[in-house]
Amino acid sequence: MSETFTKSMARNIYLGGSVFFILLFLALSFDTLGALPKRDNRQNITPQVALGKKVWEENNCLGCHTLLGEGAYFAPELGNVYTRFGGSKEAIMGFIASRPVEGIPGRRSMPQFNLSNEQLEAVAEFLKYTSEINSANWPPNVQG
Amino acid sequence: MSTSRLIRPCTAVWLLLVILTGVTYLVGQAGLSGMAVVAFVLITTLFKSQMVVDHFMGLKRARPFWRGLLFGYLLIVCGMIGVAYYVGLTH
Amino acid sequence: MQFQSQAVAKPYFIAAIGLFIGQILFGLIIGTQYVIGDFLFPEIPFNVARMVHTNLLIVWLLFGFMGAAYYLVPEEAERELFSPKLAIALFWIFLVAGALTIVGYLAVPYATLAAVTGNDLLPTMGREFLEQPTITKMGIVVVALAFLFNIGMTIIAGRKTVINIVLLTGLTGLAVLFLFSFYNPINLVLDKMFWWWVVHLWVEGVWELIMGAILAFVLIRLTGVDREVIEKWLYVIIAMALITGIIGTGHHYYWIGTPEYWQWWGSIFSALEPIPFFMMTVFAFTMVNRRRKEHPNKAATLWALGTAVMAFLGAGVWGFLHTLAPVNFYTHGSQITAAHGHMAFYGAYVLVVITMISYAWPHLQHNAPASNGRAQLLEMWSFWLMTVSIVFITLFLTGAGILQVYLQRVSDTPLPFMVVQDKIALFYWLRLWTGVIFFVGLCLYVYSFFAKGKETLASS
Amino acid sequence: MDTPLHDDTGALPGDFAIWIFIFAELLVFGVFFLAYAFARANNVELFNESQLQLDRISGAANTLVLITSSYFVVRAVAAIRDDDSRRCVHWLAAAIGMGSVFLVIKMFEFADKFSAGISLSTNTFFMFYLSLTFFHFMHVILGMVILAAVLFKARSGGYSAASHIGVETGASYWHMVDLVWLILFPLVYVIH
């Protein structure tokens, strides 16, 4: 190759290119923050939802399940579980509360987390709130 | 640089680009559409872009490979835009 | 070894490999739980074992990166490390904090750990890969800052090579972006959006700088190719990585509540993300082909080339497979994602750390440029065993993923998750057995450190 | 002197590093253009309707502005090949000036759209319109920064007829910014 190709210009491309795309990313992120209120269902964030998210986190639910497709792939998607369970918070609460301590022989088993009724309701409310986030029609169907 | 010519080659290219831009604009203003019009606009665009590549970027003096690479790029982009337009017509 | 203080890298490398073994053991546990659901239940439920698996991966890679930095920075800067004592102190702090965290995961229920460590005060736990108690996260920040100080002071006082600067930039970015792990809003969409600022901008951003710097360092040593050439290509490659990777974050913003324009931005830019990996592959092979000397450490060359190829396959090709929004709509959060994750992490980061260890170890241990022939042969065997295994693990998971996506999401009569999991169990069995072979490869790798050869290479 | 060394070798003008960047940018824009074109094919009516709200005069004026500024850059390169740093600086300043005109016109256009409540989330057409033009807008700014850096170096006598690869590097990038707009304008503003 007869082209001139200097290290200092390569460095300039690296620095200039990085700054350029960082700024672009910040600009897009800024626009996203402005667009979120219409999509993220924030009007339904209640203290109960907040508690639900905390219970969700402190029992590491994401260690088995996905939520809006993110998490582990060992157990069903829960972003739409409220819809899948027929819009029933009681069904969700009942499922979590009824897990056998010793598991189901030979099957993937969900631990018994010994949640209080208040915590159960909060988790269900959190999952209801999650199901109402505008996720661009994902998942493709109710099975998640 | 030759100063004996009436007009510098690059100035002539600039003038040509200005005129062709005017034509493209007028096509838009006239509200013309249809495959033939779009083909005309795209070929004009291809021509204009290649003028920039050849005479402004100066790739006319570079190895044919580089010039060909950019021409190929422009051809694919303009061509596929034309294909997409055609697809839109048939929908 | 040119500088005495490079020796502090040694405990880091040992810890890295030790934790790597732990990571794979827990990988085998969760691989088993995939097919024998109640395996070790309720003592070690899947979520705990998986958390140990992924957290050990992150921690051992960080040990590897730090060890690599301690080894290469003095040599590049041409001076002793600013403070070897600090480096050793940080090693023990990090190791003990890491070990305590893992013990915490295994000894008590996660909710108890959260309560004990005061997650109420600043809740940051329970998010994928960032499960560490808040206090551990703070410890990580402190260790990272002290580490950066140590490395930074060394670089400032010494020769400022491109490799050192790029490495320092990458490590600084790693530390700075980790701060977003402390931001955990109740709004789930915001939470997820900024969670990716840690996770994506790590693995598809600043970690690539670290990887590029390590690879460039090793290639200069192994091939004897002019530093100028390697350094300018390093710049170009990481420039491409950031140009495509930063906006490429958008491929995580398709379905989590963020606006739909990310489907376009994310698709377009992440479709170009294979380019830097491809360049890295071409770069590594070109440099090795143009080598000006025959370095006796053949194993290190193999690891380096393996890094370039496997990073391209895992991060580039398998990433591209499901990165376009219309495809990702069906594959998001399926076994396809798992397939990509396994090969990308192995190819890009596991291999680059091992490359560094493979290059540095003979210097650290024997003060020789290479281990004996038998040790190298064992290393190469372990390379092929682990690499072929990970390729098959990826293929089996891809097979599982394709079936899962079809049965659960595409077909006219979508089946429930657990029904589908039963139907694709065969692939999980295959993955598990391949994982066992991977573990054999890893054992062979560890054994190679102790292998005695007939011939002993002259001291450098 | 009128045929600098690199002309004989058939090398790309300027530093090869910038060409790697240029090819990468062209690739991004190319993919973006085709994404627009095929998204349009699926939404012809929406695109045609929304396109009517664009200000074609601004678009055309900006095309002329960019072509002219590119022309000025050509003259700047010619000047330095004649070993005339002073004229080179003048032409570069003129080119940067035209770049600023582009930015001003574009900002009026953006302001007009924003005040009409149009955003990235309005519809697919405006998503593309704003994305493409804003992405290009940032490139104009980057190009101006590069030209300004070249200008300052030229002003301090950093280039000569024998050594002016930096001028060609900046010029090549600026022409790329022009080139992309030459396709963007008919694609987004005219074709319907």
Side-chain angles (χ1 to χ4, degrees):
Chain A
M1 278 223 263
S2 52
E3 268 75 23
T4 313
F5 180 13
T6 62
K7 193 164 88 182
S8 65
M9 189 53 69
R11 185 196 59 220
N12 292 344
I13 300 294
Y14 161 62
L15 293 174
S18 311
V19 170
F20 183 91
F21 282 93
I22 288 169
L23 289 175
L24 179 62
F25 183 62
L26 290 176
L28 286 170
S29 299
F30 180 73
D31 181 89
T32 296
L33 292 180
L36 279 187
K38 282 188 184 162
R39 305 178 57 90
D40 62 12
N41 195 24
R42 64 180 63 186
Q43 67 279 3
N44 286 322
I45 298 179
T46 56
Q48 201 182 20
V49 169
L51 175 64
K53 184 165 186 275
K54 198 150 164 296
V55 174
W56 165 270
E57 286 168 357
E58 295 191 342
N59 289 283
N60 194 23
C61 304
L62 221 56
C64 293
H65 295 276
T66 48
L67 190 66
L68 300 181
E70 293 168 1
Y73 318 117
F74 188 71
E77 160 72 24
L78 296 185
N80 68 340
V81 68
Y82 179 73
T83 325
R84 189 160 60 242
F85 278 17
S88 162
K89 284 197 283 183
E90 289 69 29
I92 295 173
M93 292 162 62
F95 188 92
I96 300 172
S98 65
R99 295 301 93 198
V101 177
E102 291 301 318
I104 306 161
R107 306 282 303 162
R108 296 184 193 176
S109 310
M110 180 164 153
Q112 172 52 260
F113 288 108
N114 300 316
L115 300 182
S116 70
N117 212 45
E118 188 196 6
Q119 289 175 316
L120 284 170
E121 267 178 49
V123 168
E125 187 63 29
F126 169 66
L127 291 172
K128 175 174 183 289
Y129 144 80
T130 306
S131 73
E132 290 159 356
I133 289 171
N134 179 350
S135 58
N137 294 323
W138 194 90
N141 63 58
V142 76
Q143 301 296 357
Chain B
M1 280 289 163
S2 146
T3 44
S4 58
R5 259 175 272 169
L6 184 66
I7 181 170
R8 286 164 181 268
C10 59
T11 311
V13 169
W14 171 76
L15 217 75
L16 193 60
L17 290 172
V18 168
I19 292 167
L20 289 176
T21 303
V23 172
T24 306
Y25 170 72
L26 287 176
V27 168
Q29 279 313 87
L32 298 177
S33 69
M35 199 62 225
V37 174
V38 168
F40 171 76
V41 170
L42 286 174
I43 289 170
T44 312
T45 304
L46 183 61
F47 179 73
K48 279 164 72 182
S49 318
Q50 191 62 32
M51 295 292 270
V52 170
V53 169
D54 284 349
H55 300 284
F56 281 9
M57 283 179 164
L59 286 210
K60 206 164 178 119
R61 293 187 302 269
R63 255 172 288 140
F65 171 78
W66 296 120
R67 198 174 161 221
L69 190 69
L70 279 165
F71 179 69
Y73 165 82
L74 294 169
L75 194 66
I76 289 170
V77 170
C78 292
M80 292 303 282
I81 291 172
V83 169
Y85 185 81
Y86 178 75
V87 171
L89 282 183
T90 55
H91 261 229
Chain C
M1 209 167 54
Q2 296 176 15
F3 296 92
Q4 274 309 310
S5 53
Q6 285 178 288
V8 299
K10 206 169 158 183
Y12 282 87
F13 290 154
I14 294 171
I17 295 171
L19 297 172
F20 184 20
I21 297 169
Q23 185 217 340
I24 300 309
L25 283 175
F26 276 86
L28 291 175
I29 291 176
I30 53 182
T32 309
Q33 289 175 332
Y34 253 89
V35 280
I36 305 171
D38 61 347
F39 180 64
L40 294 181
F41 191 88
E43 287 74 27
I44 308 178
F46 179 88
N47 62 343
V48 171
R50 182 198 194 248
M51 178 165 64
V52 174
H53 176 64
T54 57
N55 282 220
L56 279 176
L57 167 71
I58 297 167
V59 172
W60 88 256
L61 288 180
L62 290 180
F63 268 112
F65 289 163
M66 288 196 268
Y70 285 130
Y71 187 85
L72 74 78
V73 164
E75 204 170 304
E76 285 286 301
E78 292 182 336
R79 76 182 294 279
E80 295 287 351
L81 189 66
F82 176 73
S83 169
K85 282 207 182 88
L86 178 62
I88 294 296
L90 290 176
F91 169 78
W92 287 110
I93 294 171
F94 196 42
L95 189 66
V96 170
L100 282 178
T101 303
I102 300 293
V103 168
Y105 288 164
L106 292 168
V108 296
Y110 191 70
T112 313
L113 185 66
V116 170
T117 57
N119 194 48
D120 279 345
L121 301 171
L122 178 60
T124 67
M125 291 173 71
R127 294 172 304 149
E128 198 184 6
F129 309 130
L130 305 181
E131 295 95 344
Q132 310 81 29
T134 304
I135 188 156
T136 306
K137 287 197 181 82
M138 289 173 176
I140 293 174
V141 172
V142 171
V143 169
L145 289 180
F147 161 74
L148 281 175
F149 170 73
N150 206 353
I151 293 290
M153 291 303 283
T154 314
I155 291 175
I156 286 170
R159 188 172 63 138
K160 290 159 198 70
T161 65
V162 174
I163 288 175
N164 263 356
I165 300 294
V166 170
L167 183 72
L168 186 64
T169 323
L171 293 168
T172 310
L174 187 155
V176 169
L177 289 167
F178 184 69
L179 295 178
F180 283 97
S181 70
F182 291 95
Y183 178 62
N184 180 18
I186 290 160
N187 185 330
L188 185 66
V189 181
L190 280 178
D191 173 5
K192 284 174 174 290
M193 180 176 164
F194 287 100
W195 178 81
W196 282 114
W197 284 37
V198 185
V199 176
H200 175 92
L201 293 179
W202 264 17
V203 297
E204 282 162 76
V206 290
W207 283 29
E208 286 185 47
L209 306 193
I210 299 169
M211 175 197 176
I214 295 176
L215 207 54
F217 171 85
V218 174
L219 283 174
I220 288 178
R221 302 310 188 274
L222 289 178
T223 65
V225 170
D226 193 8
R227 171 182 285 275
E228 282 291 303
V229 177
I230 288 190
E231 288 184 335
K232 73 186 176 194
W233 280 104
L234 172 63
Y235 267 139
V236 170
I237 289 169
I238 57 174
M240 293 302 296
L242 292 182
I243 287 170
T244 57
I246 293 173
I247 307 291
T249 314
H251 64 207
H252 300 294
Y253 291 171
Y254 298 161
W255 326 113
I256 60 167
T258 32
E260 272 144 65
Y261 55 76
W262 285 107
Q263 292 180 26
W264 293 99
W265 282 97
S267 297
I268 290 169
F269 279 86
S270 63
L272 302 175
E273 276 189 59
I275 293 176
F277 287 105
F278 182 69
M279 288 171 82
M280 201 180 291
T281 311
V282 174
F283 163 73
F285 276 88
T286 311
M287 292 310 137
V288 171
N289 285 336
R290 282 206 221 152
R291 66 186 176 275
R292 295 208 185 142
K293 64 177 185 193
E294 293 298 331
H295 197 282
N297 194 342
K298 302 284 177 221
T301 312
L302 180 65
W303 290 110
L305 292 177
T307 308
V309 173
M310 295 305 292
F312 172 64
L313 279 181
V317 177
W318 251 262
F320 181 78
L321 276 183
H322 60 141
T323 201
L324 300 178
V327 177
N328 194 261
F329 181 67
Y330 292 102
T331 61
H332 179 54
S334 70
Q335 293 298 325
I336 303 276
T337 321
H340 161 61
H342 279 84
M343 189 148 54
F345 260 100
Y346 175 78
Y349 299 121
V350 171
L351 282 181
V352 82
V353 169
I354 299 185
T355 301
M356 188 67 206
I357 296 177
S358 178
Y359 171 75
W361 191 261
H363 295 275
L364 291 168
Q365 180 71 11
H366 313 296
N367 208 15
S371 312
N372 65 65
R374 187 154 158 270
Q376 284 198 44
L377 192 67
L378 285 169
E379 255 191 75
M380 294 197 216
W381 268 98
S382 75
F383 168 84
W384 287 110
L385 274 177
M386 289 198 281
T387 303
V388 171
S389 300
I390 211 79
V391 167
F392 275 93
I393 286 174
T394 305
L395 288 173
F396 293 140
L397 287 178
T398 307
I402 292 171
L403 276 177
Q404 180 193 12
V405 165
Y406 180 77
L407 294 171
Q408 188 184 319
R409 291 180 176 165
V410 179
S411 108
D412 291 334
T413 49
L415 299 172
F417 179 91
M418 287 311 297
V419 173
V420 173
Q421 292 297 307
D422 281 341
K423 286 186 187 292
I424 59 182
L426 173 66
F427 286 95
Y428 294 140
W429 275 111
L430 292 169
R431 185 265 301 263
L432 177 58
W433 288 116
T434 320
V436 172
I437 298 175
F438 186 97
F439 186 67
V440 172
L442 177 58
C443 293
L444 205 58
Y445 176 65
V446 174
Y447 177 66
S448 77
F449 284 83
F450 305 102
K452 297 232 176 355
K454 285 167 195 153
E455 84 272 47
T456 323
L457 283 157
S459 176
S460 59
Chain D
M1 202 46 93
D2 59 358
T3 46
L5 194 66
H6 78 272
D7 284 355
D8 308 329
T9 64
L12 286 165
D15 196 299
F16 187 65
I18 198 78
W19 281 94
I20 297 176
F21 193 44
I22 288 174
F23 289 133
E25 299 263 48
L26 285 176
L27 200 57
V28 173
F29 271 108
V31 176
F32 228 133
F33 288 154
L34 297 187
Y36 171 94
F38 283 94
R40 180 189 177 278
N42 287 321
N43 281 293
V44 176
E45 270 171 34
L46 173 82
F47 273 58
N48 282 349
E49 223 167 84
S50 308
Q51 194 186 44
L52 292 175
Q53 294 180 55
L54 295 193
D55 181 0
R56 204 179 294 117
I57 296 184
S58 298
N62 263 344
T63 314
L64 296 181
V65 168
L66 272 194
I67 288 173
T68 308
S69 91
S70 238
Y71 168 72
F72 289 166
V73 166
V74 173
R75 297 297 301 266
V77 174
I80 199 66
R81 282 183 189 160
D82 279 346
D83 220 2
D84 191 340
S85 280
R86 238 174 64 89
R87 258 191 329 124
C88 176
V89 167
H90 290 162
W91 283 117
L92 284 173
I96 295 170
M98 290 310 267
S100 323
V101 173
F102 179 96
L103 295 184
V104 170
I105 294 178
K106 202 86 210 121
M107 280 193 272
F108 274 109
E109 214 184 314
F110 282 143
D112 187 47
K113 295 290 169 289
F114 292 148
S115 64
I118 288 167
S119 76
L120 278 171
S121 302
T122 300
N123 63 34
T124 312
F125 174 81
F126 282 111
M127 191 289 290
F128 271 111
Y129 162 75
L130 287 175
S131 295
L132 278 168
T133 53
F134 181 72
F135 190 43
H136 181 269
F137 185 83
M138 284 187 66
H139 279 82
V140 175
I141 297 174
L142 178 60
M144 285 167 66
V145 171
I146 293 174
L147 286 184
V150 173
L151 184 148
F152 282 114
K153 188 167 173 193
R155 205 171 59 173
S156 59
Y159 300 111
S160 66
S163 158
H164 57 267
I165 204 144
V167 184
E168 290 179 348
T169 304
S172 298
Y173 189 80
W174 188 253
H175 294 315
M176 185 277 289
V177 175
D178 180 27
L179 185 68
V180 167
W181 182 263
L182 282 186
I183 303 172
L184 198 160
F185 170 63
L187 178 66
V188 177
Y189 288 80
V190 176
I191 291 174
H192 67 275

